Every structure is written in structure tokens, then in C-alpha cells.
Amino acid sequence: MVTLTAQVSVAEILQEKAVVSRTSSTLTRKQLQPIRAAKAIRKLIADKDDTKQVFEIMNALVGRSIEWGYRRLLETPVGGEEAYRRVEIAEILQDHNQLRQLPEGSVGRAYLKFVEDQNFSAYGLADESRKAAQTEIEAAHPHAWFARRLRDVHDIWHVLTGYGANALGEACVVAFSLPQTRSRGFGVIAAAVAIQFMRARTGYPCARAVWKAWRDGRKAEWLPGVDYRVLLAMPLDEARRVLKIPPPTLYEQVPPELRNAYLGAKAT
């Protein structure tokens, strides 16, 4: 039998449970906030490096996508084990010394090159996500853990899909992510940037590249349910084959100097 001390009252325990219950409710299903999303998308179009706006959009339009994704995760053998262990992927990705021990040509080594070339870090992305208003991404809740998982694998998906860290590459990755996650925020970002590229009239298949990325995301294996510790050690070519991710052929037709040349972009 548990004995209540003077420091812990029944009222305090009930209050703590009420807070957890409210947090669970907001994580499970969020009301859509289209005005908030519209404001954030304008800021993101003006400055593609304003990562905070990405998380503003995602939080505003998350709806029930996290609940859907977590339930699907539990229905897969690997995903159920991942959910049980609740490994924080950011901690794995931040350990660059460990990643350097992986074989040449592996997903992990390709990821390490990607983030070091761009001066990115897994913790940096996490820090940006915490700047968004009304976020519960660090809550002690399974849905918050799953939301962190989706956040932390973003740059791995860059590597797997072959899309770079430029405006077009980001639009393609989020378009790929839309059918993988069912998060409306990804769709809004991808569509907005694709429209800006169409208006810029570059003469190259920028918008078509975004559309192809969406179609590829529909056909690929479900990436949120992958064991990323195993994936990081796999040869990149083999991982792409197993996960059914085709080459980014239309994206590669766009010259690198035009992959940031969308209408409304901040001058560099």
C-alpha cells in the first residue's frame, strides 16, 4: 500500500493527472489553424532558411496525422518494437564519431556528409522545432515521441531520396513526406513552393519534380516504421532499393544554380 506523505497530496496527484490528460488530448487531435499556417507560409517563401516557420505550419495543420502514424507504427513488427523502446533518433544522429565508424557508402556515412557539408545538426533541428508556438513535441507522451521521430529523420530522408538542401530539394522532400505522414503541412509547403517555381518560369521541370516526389512517396515503403539503427549501417544503394525509392531524375535536370530560383525568394 502506498502511503501519502505530507509532501504529496491526493489533490496534487489528481492535478498532475489532469495536466497529462489535457496534453494527451492536444497531441492526439489538434484543431486546424489555417490563418496561422498562411502567415507562416508567407514568411517561409520570403526566407527558405527560416526553419521555425516550417514547424509553425506543421503544428497549425497537424490534425490527427500523428495519431494515425503512431497507430500504424504499432501495427508493424519493427514499428512495435521501436515504439516500445522509444529510442530518440536525434541522439543517434548527433553522435558523429559513431557514424564515422560505419562503412563507406552506408546511409549513415552519407547522412554525416550531408549534415557536415551544410553545417546542420540533429540537435539544431530539434531546437528549431521548440521555437514554434503551442508545441508539445517534448512532452512525455507516445505521440510526442512519434512526432520527434518524424522530425529527426527529415535529413535522412534527404539522403535516401537524393534531394539537396535547397528550396527545390526541400519542397521535394516535404512532397515525398506528405503520403508518408498524411500531415497537411507538408502538402501546403510543397504546393506553395512548387507554385512559386512555376511563376518564376525557370524553363526547367521544377514543379514536376515536386509532383514526382509526391508520387514516389506514395509508392515507397513506409519510412516512419523503419529501424533506423539498422538502416544507417546499410549501403545507400541497397537501402534505396529495399525501400523502393527511385532516383530524383526530374530534380537532377534542374541546374544547381536554379534550385533556389523561385519567385519571392530572398536575394542572396
Side-chain angles (χ1 to χ4, degrees), residues 235-247:
L236 179 56
D237 290 343
E238 180 185 350
R240 287 169 171 166
R241 178 182 57 79
V242 170
L243 297 173
K244 301 177 183 177
I245 301 174

Side-chain angles (χ1 to χ4, degrees), residues 19-264:
V19 170
V20 171
S21 178
R22 287 195 297 272
T23 302
S24 300
S25 176
T26 57
L27 283 165
T28 299
R29 114 181 25 168
K30 276 192 171 186
Q31 185 175 1
L32 299 180
Q33 300 173 285
I35 295 176
R36 176 186 175 191
K39 291 178 179 178
I41 197 67
R42 284 197 294 269
K43 293 178 181 178
L44 183 62
I45 290 296
D47 181 3
K48 74 174 184 65
D49 296 322
D50 190 356
T51 309
K52 174 189 171 183
Q53 303 309 322
V54 173
F55 293 106
E56 286 287 339
I57 296 164
M58 300 306 297
N59 285 352
L61 302 177
V62 66
R64 300 183 67 174
S65 62
I66 297 298
E67 177 189 15
W68 169 83
Y70 186 72
R71 285 183 177 178
R72 181 171 180 180
L73 186 75
L74 295 180
E75 292 171 357
T76 65
V78 172
E81 184 176 348
E82 290 289 286
Y84 175 79
R85 293 181 176 178
R86 293 190 197 171
V87 173
E88 296 289 347
I89 292 179
E91 295 178 3
I92 297 173
L93 299 180
Q94 192 65 21
D95 190 348
H96 289 191
N97 289 331
Q98 189 65 34
L99 292 176
R100 286 192 183 91
Q101 304 306 311
L102 296 173
E104 284 284 352
S106 65
V107 174
R109 290 291 292 272
Y111 166 82
L112 183 61
K113 184 178 188 308
F114 177 84
V115 295
E116 289 186 338
D117 286 351
Q118 303 297 327
N119 196 27
F120 290 167
S121 78
Y123 286 168
L125 191 63
D127 289 341
E128 288 296 314
S129 73
R130 298 185 190 105
K131 295 177 183 178
Q134 301 173 1
T135 181
E136 297 91 12
I137 198 166
E138 297 299 336
H141 189 278
H143 291 166
W145 168 81
F146 184 71
R148 293 194 296 272
R149 181 180 181 83
L150 294 182
R151 175 198 67 193
D152 297 337
V153 298
H154 175 80
D155 286 337
I156 300 180
W157 290 13
H158 267 285
V159 171
L160 291 171
T161 57
Y163 296 116
N166 45 66
L168 182 59
E170 292 291 352
C172 288
V173 171
V174 298
F176 180 95
S177 302
L178 174 58
Q180 291 277 321
T181 66
R182 292 190 180 181
S183 176
R184 295 175 181 87
F186 284 131
V188 168
I189 295 169
V193 177
I195 290 171
Q196 295 302 103
F197 269 107
M198 290 174 63
R199 294 176 62 195
R201 299 182 183 276
T202 64
Y204 290 91
C206 299
R208 287 171 51 210
V210 177
W211 175 253
K212 179 184 183 299
W214 174 79
R215 288 188 288 120
D216 290 345
R218 291 187 65 189
K219 297 175 183 178
E221 294 292 333
W222 195 57
L223 271 58
V226 171
D227 184 337
Y228 281 87
R229 290 161 297 182
V230 173
L231 178 68
L232 288 169
M234 288 179 65
L236 179 56
D237 290 343
E238 180 185 350
R240 287 169 171 166
R241 178 182 57 79
V242 170
L243 297 173
K244 301 177 183 177
I245 301 174
T249 50
L250 291 179
Y251 169 81
E252 290 173 342
Q253 292 178 27
V254 181
E257 65 270 18
L258 293 180
R259 292 173 187 171
N260 281 322
Y262 64 93
L263 195 65

